[in-house]
Amino acid sequence: MRKQKQSQGHISIANGRFLSAGGEQRSWTLDPGLGSWLVHPCAAIYTVPHITDTIFCLNAEVAPENLHVNENDENQERGNWSKKSDYLLSMVGYAVGLGNVWRFPYLTYNNGGGAFLIPYVIMLALAGLPLFFLECSMGQFSSLGPVSVWRILPLFQGVGITMVLISLFVTIYYNVIIAYSLYYLFASFQRELPWSKCSISWADGNCSRSPFVTHCNVSISINEIFQANKSWVDANNLTCINGSEVYQTGQLPSEQYWNKVALQRSSGLDETGVIVWYLALCLLLAWLIVGAALFKGIKSSGKVVYFTALFPYVVLLILVIRGATLEGASKGISYYIGAQSNFAKLKDAEVWKDAATQIFYSLSVAWGGLVALSSYNKFNNNCYSDAIVVCVTNCLTSVFAGFAIFSILGHMAHISGKEVTQVVKSGFDLAFIAYPEALAQLPGGPFWSVLFFFMLLTLGLDSQFASIETITTTIQDLFPKVMKKMRAPITLGCCLVLFFLGLICVTQAGIYWVNLIDHFCAGWGILIAAILEIIGVVWIYGGNRFIDDIEMMIGAKRWIFWLWWRTCWFVITPILLMSILIWSVIQFRRPKYGQIPYPNWGVALGWCMITFCIIWIPVMAIINIIQAKGNIFQRIATCCRPAANWGPYLEKHRGERYENMSDSKKETNHEISNISDSRKPE
């Protein structure tokens, strides 16, 4: 059935056939005086009163353009989350990532054990939650992504561009980590884990779980004693003098497997080597999974996260239960959060800095993803309760993951005769060396390894979904009509381009590139963006005005409700962020991977990447000032006021405060007007 003609709201339809509600095919003739037309996002619908089975959809070929929108969506231009749970799980998946498993437990152990939870919770309240709530509110209020949302303050439009660019760089290497997890997942489907022992096909003489003798004293004659290499001693059938042996710690089989087999790691960034083909295939698979989950936008990713966000909790629970049954587990837990807790560490400023930094990065604030995901909420969604739920869930997950990690590391220390301090690692060393080594020594090691790496895969994927959604949401805000018609090819095209950009990270020098991008892009740039974000919104746009905006969504609150948020937004949170930034500058160290330093050109390239990301802040400020009218002071003042098209996306939500707002749904809505003279004064 097809619509033949449409003019001025009247539609003429040729006679034809349709399927009734009962599934039968019937002939029909339309009488203009009998039925009525209903405008629908996917089609023209003709209804016949009193005849329930003669309701049918015409012009169905329009539907593919609106796969990300359905009839229940409040915002028919951009679409909304199908369910509140889709949004919450997407936010939890974005915030809960690999760092919750491989960084937080180590920080807790290293900063006083259970004592570390005190500064951690305090920093959650003072820095993490206020920023999280602010970003969620911005996105939901305007229904705009991280770049267009800066209609709120055109002078700082570059802050949004910085967030998106940093997210783009991070997605390149983050999917490489997912590729590592996929490789180890596939490698675990064997009767015996390949890193469970030193294999002659890849291990060298240093491969050993226990220390081995490298030199010892030997005696050739009564008066002649000298030190010799152990291999020379064995080759000449000599015997070491008791007590003269010199021991060297061996490299674990899992460590040599990681470097020699999985990565085929070169000697440094200067030696690129070849593309490791199986890692490249795993990277391609990772991008195919991401593309398949996102080709319909939030309508498809919102369903996938029911698995990717919830499955890690199932695995963590299983690992915690299994770990608790192992010998030595209690010793590991004691170091993590038990009797070994050291409250004297709270006097150390480094501990408080680590707590603030971990909260800041763990919640994914200032990456643009929180604004992007929240922009698909319905206008009156309670973003306040959402922020509390997601932040608390994220922090509890970090604590819970520590039990799964340290119980099994405690067992590893027990069976190897080492102290827990000798087996605890962080980052890649934990995920791909220490923990796999511990799993290899458990009965049924392959099963536990499959569970662990599948958990890492799902933890990484839902964070990656949100990062790509940040990029596609930005494109949608800039080119809404193009994105509506071509969402799937544009999303898949982004994934394909990012796959090719990531190929450098699966060469033999790939791990150095991953570490370099992470060191520079996921550091200072995010801090700078966060500081400017809170200063711009609270100090320039106006914290009280922003609170009025929030109350338009969640309803009016008493002044005492906002007392804490005002205190944090205006004073405490900006000071904390500035302190972290200054501390990071003072403590800056030349990047290196393990003991391998980066060449000068690599360090320079790192600075170029972060400069490219943050340079847009002054560039866009200058461009907007130039485009404004008046003398220089008038231009700056104009750019420090909201644009004329700032406000709720849908007209029905604007009320009196935004009744004079310019239309934000025009095709040129990516242009941020600096003139707000038409805005009704408040």
Side-chain angles (χ1 to χ4, degrees):
M1 291 175 284
R2 194 161 50 147
K3 182 166 58 177
Q4 302 294 323
K5 177 181 164 186
Q6 178 175 359
S7 61
Q8 298 180 350
H10 176 72
I11 306 176
S12 298
I13 306 291
N15 296 336
R17 293 180 178 274
F18 70 97
L19 287 178
S20 70
E24 320 147 41
Q25 192 177 62
R26 298 185 181 180
S27 301
W28 51 276
T29 303
L30 292 183
D31 182 346
L34 176 66
S36 61
W37 288 101
L38 174 67
V39 177
H40 189 276
C42 76
I45 298 176
Y46 188 81
T47 65
V48 182
H50 312 301
I51 307 177
T52 57
D53 66 353
T54 52
I55 299 176
F56 44 90
C57 187
L58 306 171
N59 196 30
E61 68 267 21
V62 180
E65 296 183 6
N66 296 281
L67 288 173
H68 65 294
V69 177
N70 64 39
E71 66 273 13
N72 296 320
D73 288 348
E74 180 181 70
N75 190 327
Q76 289 294 318
E77 296 290 326
R78 300 180 84 252
N80 297 109
W81 294 100
S82 299
K83 297 179 182 177
K84 175 70 170 281
S85 54
D86 294 7
Y87 166 68
L88 285 176
L89 287 175
S90 295
M91 292 288 275
V92 168
Y94 184 43
V96 177
L98 297 171
N100 296 71
V101 171
W102 72 25
R103 178 169 166 79
F104 175 81
Y106 176 81
L107 279 179
T108 303
Y109 148 80
N110 200 45
N111 288 298
F116 181 70
L117 296 182
I118 295 175
Y120 185 71
V121 171
I122 291 174
M123 291 304 169
L124 168 65
L126 297 179
L129 190 51
L131 273 172
F132 198 96
F133 182 31
L134 181 139
E135 290 198 13
C136 292
S137 301
M138 288 175 66
Q140 181 174 308
F141 179 77
S142 61
S143 297
L144 295 171
V147 174
S148 295
V149 78
W150 285 99
R151 295 173 183 175
I152 190 174
L153 185 64
L155 187 70
F156 283 12
Q157 185 186 1
V159 173
I161 297 176
T162 293
M163 291 178 180
V164 173
L165 288 176
I166 291 177
S167 290
L168 190 147
F169 274 110
V170 170
T171 57
I172 293 174
Y173 81 79
Y174 206 80
N175 235 26
V176 175
I177 300 174
I178 295 175
Y180 295 157
S181 301
L182 277 170
Y183 171 78
Y184 269 81
L185 176 64
F186 296 144
S188 299
F189 285 100
Q190 301 183 40
R191 185 177 298 274
E192 184 180 54
L193 292 174
W195 57 85
S196 60
K197 59 184 179 181
C198 298
S199 171
I200 57 173
S201 62
W202 48 263
D204 59 27
N206 292 327
C207 184
S208 174
R209 283 199 173 92
S210 56
F212 58 91
V213 178
T214 57
H215 297 80
C216 66
N217 292 339
V218 294
S219 174
I220 296 180
S221 62
I222 297 177
N223 297 321
E224 188 177 359
I225 298 176
F226 63 93
Q227 189 178 70
N229 186 287
K230 183 63 167 61
S231 59
W232 183 87
V233 173
D234 293 337
N236 289 276
N237 294 321
L238 298 175
T239 304
C240 293
I241 298 175
N242 287 338
S244 68
E245 295 88 351
V246 177
Y247 290 89
Q248 176 179 311
T249 303
Q251 285 186 317
L252 294 170
S254 58
E255 182 177 358
Q256 292 214 347
Y257 184 85
W258 166 244
N259 289 317
K260 295 176 178 292
V261 181
L263 298 180
Q264 296 187 27
R265 181 161 67 92
S266 66
S267 60
L269 196 64
D270 286 319
E271 185 186 348
T272 301
V274 299
I275 291 177
V276 182
W277 65 269
Y278 43 82
L279 288 183
L281 289 178
C282 288
L283 180 62
L284 178 61
L285 177 58
W287 278 115
L288 288 175
I289 294 172
V290 172
L294 292 174
F295 81 102
K296 288 186 182 179
I298 59 171
K299 297 301 184 189
S300 53
S301 67
K303 299 298 178 284
V304 176
V305 293
Y306 278 88
F307 179 76
T308 58
L310 294 177
F311 183 76
Y313 291 96
V314 176
V315 177
L316 284 175
L317 180 60
I318 294 173
L319 291 176
V320 166
I321 295 172
R322 178 64 180 121
T325 64
L326 299 172
E327 284 188 278
S330 59
K331 191 174 182 180
I333 298 299
S334 179
Y335 270 91
Y336 169 53
I337 208 169
Q340 298 292 330
S341 297
N342 181 7
F343 286 88
K345 282 260 190 179
L346 297 181
K347 299 177 183 178
D348 189 351
E350 182 79 15
V351 173
W352 293 84
K353 187 270 292 182
D354 282 347
T357 303
Q358 176 63 16
I359 279 289
F360 178 78
Y361 290 114
S362 177
L363 292 177
S364 302
V365 292
W367 295 84
L370 300 180
V371 175
L373 295 179
S374 298
S375 71
Y376 296 104
N377 276 334
K378 293 183 178 179
F379 186 77
N380 295 117
N381 173 66
N382 192 340
C383 52
Y384 167 74
S385 62
D386 293 347
I388 301 291
V389 168
V390 175
C391 289
V392 171
T393 301
N394 173 73
C395 295
L396 290 178
T397 302
S398 296
V399 176
F400 187 61
F403 287 99
I405 299 299
F406 270 82
S407 60
I408 292 181
L409 291 183
H411 174 67
M412 177 182 172
H414 173 76
I415 62 177
S416 63
K418 298 179 180 179
E419 288 296 320
V420 176
T421 55
Q422 295 177 282
V423 299
V424 174
K425 305 288 183 183
S426 180
F428 292 118
D429 286 353
L430 170 66
F432 300 108
I433 297 177
Y435 210 75
E437 177 67 24
L439 295 176
Q441 298 178 52
L442 292 179
F447 171 75
W448 302 111
S449 185
V450 167
L451 275 184
F452 176 72
F453 287 109
F454 198 72
M455 179 188 71
L456 290 189
L457 172 65
T458 53
L459 280 173
L461 280 175
D462 43 25
S463 296
Q464 187 76 343
F465 293 159
S467 296
I468 299 299
E469 194 63 55
T470 302
I471 298 169
T472 56
T473 296
T474 301
I475 297 173
Q476 173 165 317
D477 288 342
L478 298 179
F479 310 104
K481 290 192 175 181
V482 174
M483 197 65 175
K484 184 182 295 185
K485 296 177 181 178
M486 303 182 62
R487 171 173 288 273
I490 289 175
T491 300
L492 296 176
C494 286
C495 292
L496 184 63
V497 170
L498 292 170
F499 163 71
F500 284 116
L501 291 176
L503 286 177
I504 189 67
C505 296
V506 290
T507 61
Q508 290 178 280
I511 190 65
Y512 304 111
W513 285 99
V514 169
N515 193 60
L516 183 72
I517 300 172
D518 178 67
H519 184 87
F520 282 97
C521 291
W524 294 359
I526 292 297
L527 280 169
I528 292 171
I531 291 169
L532 291 177
E533 177 181 56
I534 198 165
I535 288 175
V537 173
V538 177
W539 290 1
I540 301 178
Y541 175 74
N544 292 328
R545 178 193 285 187
F546 187 62
I547 287 172
D548 289 340
D549 291 341
I550 296 175
E551 288 188 334
M552 288 178 66
M553 298 186 292
I554 67 173
K557 305 291 182 182
R558 296 176 61 110
W559 67 271
I560 197 165
F561 174 88
W562 294 110
L563 182 60
W564 173 259
W565 301 104
R566 282 191 172 98
T567 304
C568 291
W569 284 339
F570 279 94
V571 182
I572 299 177
T573 306
I575 291 175
L576 276 175
L577 293 179
M578 290 178 192
S579 300
I580 297 172
L581 179 61
I582 293 171
W583 191 292
S584 300
V585 172
I586 294 173
Q587 296 292 319
F588 177 76
R589 297 288 184 271
R590 187 185 182 93
K592 61 181 181 179
Y593 180 77
Q595 299 301 316
I596 302 175
Y598 280 76
N600 291 333
W601 68 266
V603 177
L605 182 61
W607 284 114
C608 288
M609 285 190 292
I610 190 59
T611 300
F612 172 73
C613 291
I614 64 177
I615 195 65
W616 295 98
I617 298 174
V619 166
M620 293 308 300
I622 292 171
I623 290 175
N624 282 325
I625 289 172
I626 291 174
Q627 290 179 345
K629 298 179 180 179
N631 59 45
I632 185 63
F633 299 106
Q634 292 172 328
R635 291 168 185 248
I636 294 175
T638 298
C639 291
C640 289
R641 294 196 299 268
N645 55 357
W646 163 254
Y649 196 91
L650 299 179
E651 187 175 355
K652 67 179 181 179
H653 295 136
R654 294 172 189 170
E656 292 184 6
R657 293 186 69 231
Y658 289 92
E659 64 182 358
N660 293 324
M661 172 184 166
S662 299
D663 187 4
S664 63
K665 298 192 286 287
K666 292 180 179 178
E667 190 170 357
T668 57
N669 67 351
H670 60 281
E671 297 174 2
I672 296 185
S673 169
N674 290 327
I675 308 300
S676 57
D677 297 337
S678 61
R679 176 67 52 79
K680 182 177 179 179
E682 301 175 17

